[in-house]
Amino acid sequence: MAMAMLERNPAVFGDMEMFALILAAASHDVQHPGVDNKFLVRTEEDIAIRFNDRSVLENHHAQIGWGLIKDSGVADHFRGVDFRMLRQLYIDLVIETDPSTNFDFTRRNVTLDRVVHTLEWDSVDGALAVFKQSQVEKTVASTRFTLLALVVKLADLSNPFRPRCVSEVYAECIMREFFKQGDRELVYDHAVILPPHQ
């Protein structure tokens, strides 16, 4: 749905939003340790403590990713409010890739389809004029972020849609990570969430 809206309304996102989207999609898993958030919290890893057990990996990815962005100078032309907006949008989009937020994301956005149709009507015949301007602005801003977050979530989970020869390589890597985490859970004597390698 997000891609369909982008195709029908290519100017729906501004340059800053598109830039944040590209940066977040490219770096949302940077320096991933191969275990999940629950494991890091249960084993009281330093990274979990640093981020107070909340979206541990996603906070780490955002921190490391932003450091790389800053060091590269790629965002140097943004200043003041624009810089802060870009950074906040980038962080929010990376945090949205936390799998534990997927059900809440879906619950919050049950009416997204209705809102998208409303936005499309607005571009055709001005139907949004019947709503209060503040409601329109809030709905549009919320919907825009939701669509950006949806695109990053889909990019995060897109491996099965790649060509089979590529998808299988990534799937094997992910399975190795799952088995290694299962092995480590046995060592830590925690309830095994993922199966150990056999």
Side-chain angles (χ1 to χ4, degrees):
M1 180 170 60
M3 293 310 295
M5 184 172 179
L6 283 174
E7 288 171 4
R8 285 186 295 227
N9 301 293
V12 71
F13 297 129
D15 291 342
M16 182 187 307
E17 291 168 317
M18 290 301 293
F19 190 51
L21 177 63
I22 291 166
L23 293 174
S27 65
H28 73 274
D29 270 343
V30 67
Q31 219 178 60
H32 197 293
V35 294
D36 63 18
N37 285 330
K38 289 179 183 178
F39 178 83
L40 294 170
V41 170
R42 282 195 322 271
T43 57
E44 299 178 357
E45 299 282 338
D46 289 342
I47 188 174
I49 293 166
R50 181 181 318 124
F51 295 115
N52 299 312
D53 299 343
R54 293 194 179 116
S55 298
V56 174
L57 288 170
E58 294 70 27
N59 275 294
H60 178 69
H61 303 321
Q63 177 190 23
I64 298 300
W66 190 258
L68 293 170
I69 291 163
K70 188 176 177 185
D71 290 347
S72 74
V74 75
D76 284 353
H77 72 280
F78 290 96
R79 299 276 187 255
V81 172
D82 286 343
F83 179 83
R84 288 189 297 280
M85 286 175 58
L86 173 66
R87 177 171 154 69
Q88 191 60 58
L89 182 56
Y90 167 80
I91 292 168
D92 292 344
L93 289 172
V94 173
I95 299 299
E96 282 290 336
T97 64
D98 182 347
S100 72
T101 67
N102 288 347
F103 292 112
D104 185 52
F105 180 85
T106 303
R107 185 186 53 75
R108 284 188 328 243
N109 298 296
V110 170
T111 60
L112 178 60
D113 188 51
R114 182 175 52 85
V115 174
V116 168
H117 289 300
T118 303
L119 289 172
E120 291 169 355
W121 295 335
D122 181 51
S123 64
V124 175
D125 62 12
L128 286 180
V130 298
F131 297 105
K132 292 180 182 176
Q133 188 62 29
S134 63
Q135 289 174 321
V136 170
E137 289 171 3
K138 183 177 179 183
T139 299
V140 169
S142 173
T143 301
R144 290 162 68 96
F145 178 76
T146 297
L147 290 171
L148 287 165
L150 183 60
V151 170
V152 173
K153 281 180 176 289
L154 292 174
D156 188 28
L157 304 172
S158 67
N159 185 54
F161 299 100
R162 297 173 192 246
R164 186 177 181 144
C165 61
V166 174
S167 179
E168 286 178 346
V169 171
Y170 281 95
E172 287 176 23
C173 290
I174 291 168
M175 291 303 296
R176 277 196 301 272
E177 284 183 0
F178 287 163
F179 287 130
K180 283 181 183 178
Q181 179 175 326
D183 293 342
R184 289 178 68 187
E185 287 173 346
L186 286 175
V187 170
Y188 281 102
D189 197 31
H190 289 283
V192 177
I193 303 300
L194 297 175
H197 187 63
Q198 301 198 12

